[in-house]
Amino acid sequence: MIFHIHTIPTIWDANFEFSLDKLIDYVSSYGIDAIAITNHNCFDVNQFQVIKDALRGKTDVFPGIEVTIAPNNGHLLIISDNNNIDGFCAGCNMIKENIKELHDNISIQDVEKAFENFSKYLLIPHFD
């Protein structure tokens, strides 16, 4: 299993060009069971659906986001199941509204409010 796939270059990333063909090849070549799309402080449901459809039958694809947490700009991966996509999108939209600039962050309390119930999600602290 592999998580934490970036597919949208943001100001928090080195510049890159996402390739769906390369992702499909990578997943197939290595027999990866599951991935989560976890871009920095944003989630694109349309791109997620394209990736999920392209990988159908090859691997499971989960919606996720990598959130910059106050006060030290640590990161938290929040991964949802596919049955909660509307609630997950609502939380991601709140994150995107509050984290726009390179040094912006959000408190863990506000993240929990945005997603309403952390028990619905897989939470993974992410450190360099």
Side-chain angles (χ1 to χ4, degrees), residues 3 38 42 45 50 54 69 77 79 93 102 105 119-120 122 127-128:
F3 278 86
T38 52
C42 67
V45 68
V50 167
I69 304 293
L77 301 176
I79 300 166
N93 288 338
L102 189 59
N105 56 41
S119 67
K120 294 180 182 179
L122 175 62
F127 303 96
D128 289 332

Side-chain angles (χ1 to χ4, degrees), residues 52 62-63 80-88:
K52 184 178 171 194
F62 295 95
S80 181
D81 65 31
N82 286 296
N83 296 322
N84 183 34
I85 199 76
D86 291 339
F88 181 72

Side-chain angles (χ1 to χ4, degrees), residues 5-8 18-20 23-24 27 35-39 43-62:
I5 305 293
H6 290 279
T7 60
I8 300 171
F18 173 70
S19 168
L20 182 57
L23 179 60
I24 292 167
V27 164
I35 62 171
I37 307 304
T38 52
N39 293 299
F43 177 72
D44 182 326
V45 68
N46 295 321
Q47 184 198 48
F48 167 77
Q49 195 61 51
V50 167
I51 294 168
K52 184 178 171 194
D53 290 346
L55 290 170
R56 190 174 316 279
K58 294 176 179 62
T59 192
D60 292 321
V61 181
F62 295 95

Side-chain angles (χ1 to χ4, degrees), residues 21-32 54-55 57-59:
D21 290 335
K22 285 184 182 179
L23 179 60
I24 292 167
D25 184 51
Y26 187 81
V27 164
S28 299
S29 295
Y30 291 98
I32 295 171
L55 290 170
K58 294 176 179 62
T59 192

Side-chain angles (χ1 to χ4, degrees), residues 58-111:
K58 294 176 179 62
T59 192
D60 292 321
V61 181
F62 295 95
I65 188 170
E66 182 174 359
V67 180
T68 306
I69 304 293
N72 298 320
N73 293 327
H75 295 163
L76 178 65
L77 301 176
I78 303 173
I79 300 166
S80 181
D81 65 31
N82 286 296
N83 296 322
N84 183 34
I85 199 76
D86 291 339
F88 181 72
C89 285
C92 290
N93 288 338
M94 188 269 195
I95 299 301
K96 189 174 181 179
E97 290 172 10
N98 286 277
I99 303 180
K100 296 178 181 177
E101 302 296 327
L102 189 59
H103 298 290
D104 289 350
N105 56 41
I106 189 168
S107 73
I108 193 68
Q109 293 83 7
D110 286 339
V111 174

